[in-house]
C-alpha cells in the first residue's frame, strides 16, 4: 500500500502445483524493472509481490502482482484487476500435492488445502477432485467482466510475447526445466490417473492460450 503504481493490479491464479510461482516471480521482476530500473533485482522485486489467498478480503494494489489459489467468484466482477490463470494436468497436480506431505509436512498440506477451498481431506485426494480443480478451471474461464489470459503451463514459454503484450511489460521467463516426474508408487499413479481422467480429458480440449474479457 506504500508503493502503489498506475497500472492495474495483476493476479496470477492457478489450480496449484502448475507453475504459478515461476510466472509470479517473473512478473514481479518485470514490475521492478519498470518502476525501479536502477535497483531492479529479484530481491527488490519482492517489494511489488504479495499473496492473496482470500480474494474477497484482500485489497489488491495497483502496480503489484499477487498469487492466489482462490476461486474466481471471490474476485468482484468488473474490477480493474487483470488475471493470468495458469493450469496443467489435474493428475500431475494431485500427485504433486500427494508427494508434498512427505517433502513439506502436514502443516503445508493443511495450508494448501485451505488455500484451494478443499471439500475433503488429504485421504480423499486420490478418490475425488477434493482440491476443486474443476471449479478453478470453470470459474476462471467463464468469469465475466474481467480481463484474463488463460494459459497452460507447457505453453507458457511459447506464448511469452502474448503474455508481455497482455501485461504491457516485457516478461522474461527463466529457462524452462523439465518438470520432475512423480516418484509415487505405480498403484498410486494408477489410482490418481483413473480418478482425474475425465477432468484431464476436458483440460486437453481447452485452448492452450486464450485471451478473454
Amino acid at each position: 500500500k506504500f508503493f502503489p503504481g498506475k497500472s492495474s493490479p495483476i493476479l496470477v491464479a492457478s489450480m496449484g502445483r502448475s507453475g504459478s510461482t515461476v510466472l509470479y516471480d517473473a512478473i514481479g521482476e518485470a514490475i521492478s524493472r519498470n518502476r525501479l530500473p536502477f535497483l531492479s533485482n529479484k530481491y527488490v522485486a519482492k517489494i511489488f509481490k504479495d499473496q492473496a489467498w482470500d480474494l474477497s478480503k484482500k485489497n489488491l494494489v495497483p502496480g503489484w502482482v499477487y498469487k492466489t489459489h482462490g476461486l474466481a467468484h471471490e474476485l468482484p466482477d468488473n474490477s480493474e484487476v487483470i488475471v493470468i490463470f495458469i493450469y496443467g494436468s489435474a493428475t500431475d497436480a494431485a500427485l504433486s500435492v500427494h508427494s508434498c506431505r512427505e517433502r513439506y509436512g502436514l502443516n503445508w498440506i493443511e495450508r494448501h488445502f485451505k488455500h484451494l477451498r478443499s471439500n475433503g481431506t488429504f485421504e480423499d485426494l486420490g478418490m475425488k477432485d477434493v482440491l476443486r480443480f474443476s471449479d478453478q478451471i470453470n470459474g476462471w474461464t467463464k468469469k465475466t467482466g474481467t480481463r484474463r489470459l488463460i494459459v497452460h503451463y507447457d505453453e507458457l514459454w511459447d506464448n511469452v510475447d502474448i503474455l508481455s503484450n497482455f501485461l504491457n511489460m516485457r516478461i522474461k521467463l527463466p529457462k524452462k526445466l523439465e518438470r520432475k516426474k512423480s516418484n509415487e508408487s505405480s498403484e498410486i499413479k494408477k489410482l490418481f490417473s483413473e480418478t482425474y481422467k475425465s477432468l484431464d480429458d476436458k483440460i486437453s480440449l481447452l485452448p492452450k492460450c486464450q485471451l478473454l474479457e
Side-chain angles (χ1 to χ4, degrees), residues 39-104:
L39 296 174
S40 178
N41 58 54
K42 65 181 180 179
Y43 302 105
V44 174
K46 292 181 180 180
I47 295 173
F48 306 109
K49 293 163 52 181
D50 198 5
Q51 297 166 338
W53 301 128
D54 190 338
L55 293 170
S56 65
K57 297 179 180 178
K58 188 75 172 181
N59 178 35
L60 304 184
V61 177
W64 280 51
V65 61
Y66 297 84
K67 177 180 174 179
T68 191
H69 299 319
L71 297 172
H73 72 263
E74 297 171 358
L75 180 71
D77 288 338
N78 303 307
S79 71
E80 294 299 317
V81 179
I82 57 177
V83 176
I84 304 101
F85 177 70
I86 185 168
Y87 69 97
S89 160
T91 299
D92 289 349
L95 281 169
S96 179
V97 172
H98 191 270
S99 69
C100 282
R101 185 168 70 171
E102 182 175 341
R103 284 187 286 162
Y104 303 140

Side-chain angles (χ1 to χ4, degrees), residues 22-31 33 40 156-157 160-161 163-164 167 169-175:
V22 170
L23 180 56
Y24 170 66
D25 288 344
I27 294 173
E29 291 174 16
I31 293 172
R33 286 195 299 273
S40 178
L156 189 58
W157 279 258
V160 69
D161 288 340
L163 173 64
S164 297
L167 297 176
M169 66 180 78
R170 189 64 191 167
I171 303 299
K172 298 179 181 179
L173 295 173
K175 182 180 179 181

